[in-house]
């Protein structure tokens, strides 16, 4: 992709404790999280994070609980102050902003959706949706009009005068999303926005987000601890472990080329046929006139192709991106891609897969 | 020869202690020992006197006696009295006007109008039929047994003192919730105000102001009753869900916007609970304050005690109880209404 970098994090460190600056020296010397806690009594929140977030993409930051995801996302709008490093937004270092400019950034440049919704319980759904505009000092009519528009867009028309506690979790989070969209900011931060929801509702919300994104092209930074969710949403995937980035890149690429046993364990668990796409497994086109059993789309999942082929592993398909033929995919490659390339030796799942 | 003589001798402090000649008036203990004429009892480990001020004074004149100390405290108060008065008198004068004014106003409104107005106000604030009915019944009962004017005076005082307590207490509570050091400093003061027997802090007030001025009891009531509203404002703001505060920050609210549109509304149930307690404590204090000329039902209780008019005392005591129930119900009903509109 050739999109511009919208937000950039450079050499970011965050250490929790009484004297982070002195503990920083140890962290820069490469001390592990557990050691730093044991020997120096400080918690290593984030260590040497470098991420470029591109305009109009969904960047998913994934990791297990306690890996520092929430800490990281709160650095983008400086809800947490970094111990060291830079946070650049459109090339401007957030650390240099005055209190006033920082507030402006939060009011206009970034909006946030929270795991526990964090709606104002004493305000109606409509008032909640218009929060950002009211904070900026715009008129109530304007805030209500915009709020109504986005509530409608997320499927909550008719609930404007309800209070948050009268809505289900899924609906409350729709209000949360409408509230973020009403602010009309270019960047949206979503901290485990769907983790508190039931699985079916979660899928609905993911679809809603993708649908909105198709239209709005926001720069979305999405936190998740769920790989399926991450793979479904991500244009760019960052995997975090103990406050460090272990691998980042295009999700399909990470899936096919895990760089670390930790990630192999992670990815060995998912339904690869549903996640991998034809474009990641196909071969470049050598001879467009060669015989093929039919055509499939560049962005189809392997599952689509398998159902197409009726399970016949000898077939070869032509891959088209729009109307242009771009490659071929043979079922043998496809089946091979379904097996994790190198199951980790010591991971439990690795042993199961190898057996 | 007093017990601790030898110690002062051995320390070489005899000079400093001065001659044996005793200055100042004699204490009761000295008089007693002198009149009994018992001298130099056998001293053993069993009857070693505690080295208190009086005991040490017996050996060394330079050490003051306990009564010198208490009169020193008294003298200190007398010394600062005029300067304190100079500052506090004009500052607190509006309180006298406010109290006298509102008592005058409440009493001079015709009874039917005042009762009607209170009922409308209670219904509007609480939206609770039972609370309104209770108020109606209470007013009519008191009027019927000719306690109406006393009850109105008591209510007027509570009204003014609670209002001022909220006006002063809420900002203090807010400041405490924002500043841990201030909170640490204020909490002991609040503890002291709440635990000091009410009579004890009437004492310096009587020193400062004349007993006939209404601000004297006004200050006493406010000092006593302001504590819960401060405490619960502080607590309420600190207890606001941190996730919601974070959301407010993430949307770029200023401290002022956060306070007015998030923290205070969400702390309101707690603040109201504080106001409820403040009202109850004002009522308790207004009765005691009749000792320092506060008008109202307390005066009747006092008359009951002073003149042994048992009936007067008991009936007015009963009136105070139903007034307490009324105030409690009305403020609780208001609290319940606030709670319902913002459960989450
Ligand atoms: N304020 C804090 N003080 C000390 N340690 C903290 C603080 N906030 C987070 N941490 C630690 O930082 C690590 C990452 O936490 P967090 O970012 O909440 O993880 P995640 O969101 O990925 O579950 C955890 O080990 C947590 O204990
Ligand atoms: Mg988290």
């Amino acid at each position: 992709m050739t999109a511009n970098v919208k937000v950039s994090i450079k050499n970011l460190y965050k250490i929790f404790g009484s004297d982070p600056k002195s503990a920083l020296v140890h962290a820069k010397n490469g001390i592990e999280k557990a050691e730093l806690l044991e020997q120096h009594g400080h918690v290593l929140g984030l260590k040497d994070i470098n991420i470029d977030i591109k305009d109009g993409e969904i960047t998913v930051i994934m990791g297990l609980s306690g890996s520092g995801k929430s800490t990281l996302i709160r650095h983008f709008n400086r809800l947490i102050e970094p111990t060291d490093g830079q946070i650049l937004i459109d090339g401007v270092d957030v650390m240099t902003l005055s209190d006033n400019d920082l507030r402006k950034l939060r009011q206009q440049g970034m909006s946030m959706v929270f795991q526990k919704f964090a709606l104002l319980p004493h305000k109606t759904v409509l008032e909640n949706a218009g929060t950002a505009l009211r904070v900026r000092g715009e008129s109530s009519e304007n805030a209500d009009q915009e709020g109504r528009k986005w509530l409608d867009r997320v499927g909550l028309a008719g609930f404007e005068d309800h209070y948050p506690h009268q809505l289900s979790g899924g609906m409350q989070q729709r209000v949360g999303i409408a509230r973020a969209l009403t602010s009309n900011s270019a960047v949206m931060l979503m901290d485990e926005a769907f983790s508190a929801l039931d699985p079916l509702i979660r899928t609905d919300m993911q679809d809603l987000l993708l649908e909105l994104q198709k239209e709005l092209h926001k720069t979305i930074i999405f936190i998740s601890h769920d790989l399926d969710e991450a793979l479904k949403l991500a244009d760019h995937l960052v995997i975090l472990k103990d406050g460090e980035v272990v691998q980042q890149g295009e999700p399909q690429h990470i899936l096919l080329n895990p760089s670390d046993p930790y990630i192999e364990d992670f990815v060995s668990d998912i339904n690869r046929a549903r996640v991998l796409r034809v474009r990641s497994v196909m071969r470049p086109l050598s001879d467009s006139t060669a015989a093929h059993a039919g055509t499939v789309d560049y962005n189809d999942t392997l599952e689509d192709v398998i159902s197409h082929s009726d399970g016949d592993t000898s077939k070869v398909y032509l891959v088209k991106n729009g109307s242009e033929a771009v490659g071929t995919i043979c079922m043998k490659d496809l089946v091979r891609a379904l097996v994790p390339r190198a199951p980790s030796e010591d991971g439990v799942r690795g042993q199961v897969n190898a057996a | 020869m007093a017990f601790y003589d030898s110690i002062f001798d051995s320390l070489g402090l005899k000079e400093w202690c001065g001659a044996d000649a005793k200055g100042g008036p004699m204490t009761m203990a000295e008089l007693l020992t002198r009149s009994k004429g018992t001298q130099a009892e056998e001293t053993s480990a069993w009857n070693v006197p505690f080295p208190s001020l009086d005991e040490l004074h017996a050996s060394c004149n330079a050490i003051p006696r306990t009564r010198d100390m208490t009169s020193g405290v008294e003298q200190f108060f007398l010394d600062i009295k005029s300067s304190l008065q100079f500052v506090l008198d004009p500052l607190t004068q509006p309180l006298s006007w406010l109290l006298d004014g509102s008592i005058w106003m409440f009493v001079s409104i015709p009874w039917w109008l005042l009762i009607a107005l209170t009922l409308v106000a209670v219904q509007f604030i609480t939206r609770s039929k039972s609370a309104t009915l209770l108020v109606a019944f209470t007013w009519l009962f008191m009027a019927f047994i000719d306690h109406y004017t006393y009850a109105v005076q008591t209510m007027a005082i509570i009204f003014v003192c609670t209002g001022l307590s909220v006006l002063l207490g809420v900002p203090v509570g807010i400041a405490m919730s924002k500043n841990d050091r201030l909170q640490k400093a204020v909490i002991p003061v609040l503890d002291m105000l709440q635990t000091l027997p009410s009579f004890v802090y009437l004492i310096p007030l009587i020193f400062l102001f004349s007993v006939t001025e209404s601000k004297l009891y006004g200050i006493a009531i406010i000092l006593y009753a302001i504590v819960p509203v401060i405490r619960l404002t502080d607590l309420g703001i600190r207890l606001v869900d941190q996730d919601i505060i974070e959301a407010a920050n993430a949307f770029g609210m200023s401290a002022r916007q956060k306070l007015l549109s998030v923290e205070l509304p969400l702390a309101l149930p707690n603040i109201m609970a504080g106001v409820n307690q403040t009202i109850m404590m004002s009522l308790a204090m207004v009765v005691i304050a009749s000792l320092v000329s506060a008008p109202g039902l307390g005066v009747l209780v006092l008359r009951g005690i002073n003149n042994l008019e048992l009936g007067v005392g008991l009936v007015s005591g009963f009136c105070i109880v139903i007034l307490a129930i009324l105030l409690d119900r009305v403020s609780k009903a208001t609290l319940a209404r606030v709670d319902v509109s913002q459960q989450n």
Side-chain angles (χ1 to χ4, degrees):
Chain A
M1 295 235 177
T2 54
N4 297 323
V5 173
K6 175 85 183 168
V7 184
S8 177
I9 297 254
K10 292 195 196 308
N11 308 107
L12 186 77
Y13 284 83
K14 176 65 190 180
I15 294 167
F16 296 105
S18 50
D19 186 9
K21 285 285 174 207
S22 71
L24 179 65
V25 182
H26 303 295
K28 285 198 165 170
N29 288 335
I31 199 169
E32 291 287 317
K33 180 171 178 161
E35 281 177 80
L36 187 73
L37 183 61
E38 201 168 288
Q39 294 169 14
H40 305 283
H42 282 68
V43 177
L44 184 56
L46 295 171
K47 180 179 170 189
D48 199 16
I49 307 282
N50 288 283
I51 305 175
D52 282 339
I53 286 158
K54 297 202 180 110
D55 199 11
E57 287 195 350
I58 301 183
T59 300
V60 177
I61 298 169
M62 205 205 67
L64 297 176
S65 163
S67 56
K69 307 179 298 287
S70 298
T71 309
L72 178 55
I73 202 174
R74 278 161 182 67
H75 278 85
F76 289 96
N77 54 0
R78 250 177 84 188
L79 286 176
I80 295 181
E81 298 282 328
T83 309
D84 195 42
Q86 283 184 310
I87 303 148
L88 304 172
I89 293 173
D90 293 324
V92 179
D93 190 347
V94 181
M95 293 310 296
T96 61
L97 296 182
S98 66
D99 280 359
N100 235 340
D101 288 340
L102 179 63
R103 256 206 321 278
K104 274 228 174 72
L105 173 75
R106 290 174 179 173
Q107 285 173 6
Q108 302 179 351
M110 291 195 168
S111 49
M112 198 159 178
V113 183
F114 298 86
Q115 178 171 7
K116 291 183 203 146
F117 322 136
L119 302 173
L120 299 179
H122 59 296
K123 300 266 170 86
T124 63
V125 165
L126 184 59
E127 286 167 334
N128 266 292
T131 304
L133 300 188
R134 266 176 242 269
V135 172
R136 281 182 217 163
E138 295 189 18
S139 69
S140 310
E141 295 91 71
N142 199 359
D144 284 349
Q145 190 190 338
E146 283 293 297
R148 222 178 275 282
K149 177 174 117 193
W150 289 109
L151 284 174
D152 199 20
R153 190 67 192 73
V154 299
L156 281 182
F159 289 93
E160 287 86 353
D161 297 328
H162 286 58
Y163 283 90
H165 69 88
Q166 297 169 312
L167 304 185
S168 69
M171 288 161 98
Q172 289 191 38
Q173 195 57 303
R174 281 169 196 262
V175 180
I177 291 176
R179 176 171 72 172
L181 291 172
T182 306
S183 95
N184 202 20
S185 61
V187 181
M188 251 170 95
L189 308 174
M190 306 180 76
D191 185 4
E192 307 221 15
F194 305 150
S195 299
L197 305 175
D198 297 334
L200 277 180
I201 295 173
R202 196 186 308 170
T203 311
D204 278 352
M205 299 293 283
Q206 291 161 356
D207 293 339
L208 173 71
L209 183 67
L210 287 173
E211 188 190 318
L212 288 165
Q213 174 65 354
K214 228 184 259 171
E215 230 174 84
L216 304 170
H217 304 293
K218 303 248 177 208
T219 305
I220 298 178
I221 301 167
F222 193 100
I223 301 284
S224 176
H225 64 240
D226 173 7
L227 186 62
D228 285 310
E229 181 172 78
L231 290 169
K232 180 170 176 182
L233 299 175
D235 295 311
H236 183 81
L237 179 60
V238 179
I239 298 182
L240 216 56
K241 180 193 174 193
D242 290 344
E244 289 180 73
V245 174
V246 274
Q247 190 174 9
Q248 59 175 315
E250 221 251 314
Q252 305 267 310
H253 177 80
I254 294 181
L255 207 54
L256 291 169
N257 308 287
S259 72
D260 182 296
Y262 174 76
I263 299 176
E264 276 163 23
D265 273 354
F266 238 123
V267 301
S268 64
D269 202 26
I270 58 155
N271 181 349
R272 296 164 75 87
R274 187 169 296 165
V275 176
L276 283 174
R277 293 181 187 273
V278 169
R279 60 181 146 91
S280 315
V281 183
M282 71 178 193
R283 297 169 183 224
L285 192 65
S286 51
D287 177 11
S288 61
T289 56
H292 50 75
T295 59
V296 291
D297 191 78
Y298 182 78
N299 273 326
D300 280 348
T301 60
L302 300 191
E303 201 174 52
D304 295 335
V305 182
I306 293 171
S307 74
H308 226 284
S309 71
D310 246 350
D312 183 346
T313 54
S314 63
K315 285 181 178 166
V316 176
Y317 287 94
L318 186 67
V319 180
K320 284 194 166 181
N321 184 6
S323 58
E324 186 195 352
V326 289
T328 56
I329 181 166
C330 51
M331 291 301 291
K332 282 215 181 78
D333 288 347
L334 185 152
V335 172
R336 217 172 282 135
L338 292 181
V339 183
R341 196 190 42 164
S344 78
E345 300 288 294
D346 44 6
V348 179
R349 295 171 196 147
Q351 284 160 17
V352 172
N353 275 327
Chain B
M1 203 53 187
F3 182 79
Y4 288 100
D5 279 2
S6 54
I7 294 181
F8 284 101
D9 284 348
S10 64
L11 288 174
L13 289 172
K14 195 132 192 154
E15 279 301 89
W16 173 73
C17 286
D20 252 0
K22 297 203 165 140
M26 253 182 268
T27 64
M28 190 60 95
E30 284 166 351
L31 271 173
L32 279 176
T33 46
R34 178 162 304 183
S35 63
K36 269 200 238 160
T38 49
Q39 294 275 322
E41 274 177 43
E42 204 59 36
T43 53
S44 74
W46 284 110
N47 55 7
V48 173
F50 186 86
S52 65
L53 286 179
D54 282 348
E55 199 61 43
L56 292 174
H57 177 85
S59 307
C60 173
N61 275 334
I63 292 175
R65 282 169 298 189
T66 297
R67 59 181 277 176
D68 297 332
M69 184 198 67
T70 48
S71 68
V73 171
E74 188 177 320
Q75 196 55 48
F76 170 75
F77 258 98
L78 287 173
D79 288 346
I80 61 167
K81 176 180 168 171
S82 59
S83 43
L84 255 184
Q85 256 179 340
F86 184 74
V87 180
L88 288 181
D89 233 6
L91 259 181
T92 51
Q93 197 51 46
L95 181 58
S96 284
W97 296 332
L98 214 57
L99 282 165
D100 295 339
S102 69
I103 291 173
W104 174 83
M105 189 185 76
F106 276 72
V107 171
S108 47
I109 295 178
W111 61 268
W112 48 269
L113 183 58
L114 185 66
I115 293 180
L117 283 179
T118 10
L119 291 183
V120 170
V122 167
Q123 175 62 30
F124 181 76
I125 297 170
T126 63
R127 304 278 157 86
S128 150
K129 223 178 253 161
S130 60
T132 313
L133 278 177
L134 178 73
V135 175
F137 166 77
T138 311
W139 271 144
L140 294 176
F141 171 74
M142 297 223 212
F144 186 67
I145 61 169
D146 283 304
H147 281 54
Y148 172 80
T149 309
Y150 294 103
V152 167
Q153 287 168 335
T154 298
M155 290 297 252
I157 296 172
I158 292 176
F159 190 73
V160 169
C161 292
T162 309
L164 284 175
S165 294
V166 172
L167 229 51
L168 299 171
V170 169
V172 174
I174 292 171
M176 279 170 70
S177 71
K178 299 287 171 197
N179 185 333
D180 288 343
R181 298 242 299 275
L182 182 67
Q183 190 200 33
K184 277 222 178 76
V186 174
I187 280 186
V189 178
L190 297 184
D191 288 341
M192 191 192 78
L193 286 177
Q194 222 168 8
T195 42
L196 263 187
S198 357
F199 295 106
V200 174
Y201 65 86
L202 283 178
I203 295 170
L205 290 175
I206 293 171
F207 247 107
L208 282 176
F209 306 112
S210 104
V211 181
T212 52
E213 280 182 288
S214 353
K215 63 184 172 191
L216 173 57
Y217 64 80
I219 294 173
I221 295 170
I222 290 175
L223 278 181
Y224 185 64
I226 199 172
V227 179
V229 84
I230 295 181
R231 268 192 215 282
L232 281 152
T233 304
D234 173 42
L235 183 76
I237 291 183
R238 282 173 189 267
L239 283 184
V240 172
D241 187 351
Q242 283 311 303
D243 289 335
I244 294 178
I245 297 294
E246 189 173 51
N249 284 329
F251 280 92
M253 286 195 192
S254 63
R256 189 189 148 82
Q257 284 174 321
K258 222 169 20 182
L259 182 69
L260 294 180
S261 68
V262 180
E263 290 169 321
L264 281 181
L266 293 185
L268 198 57
N270 272 317
I271 298 177
M272 288 300 300
V275 173
N276 167 268
Q277 286 184 34
T278 289
I279 293 175
M280 301 318 285
M281 289 172 71
S282 320
L283 178 63
M285 195 62 190
V286 80
V287 176
I288 292 169
S290 61
L291 283 174
V292 285
S293 78
L297 291 167
V299 173
L300 294 182
V301 177
L302 201 62
R303 201 173 96 198
I305 296 171
N306 286 343
N307 308 350
L308 285 179
E309 296 180 47
L310 182 66
V312 175
L314 282 182
V315 169
S316 54
F318 177 70
C319 286
I320 289 169
V321 170
I322 54 176
L323 216 52
I325 294 173
L326 174 150
L327 288 169
D328 189 53
R329 284 292 144 78
V330 170
S331 52
K332 288 250 174 73
T334 316
L335 176 62
R337 213 186 120 214
V338 171
D339 265 343
V340 167
S341 69
Q342 58 163 270
Q343 48 183 236
N344 42 2

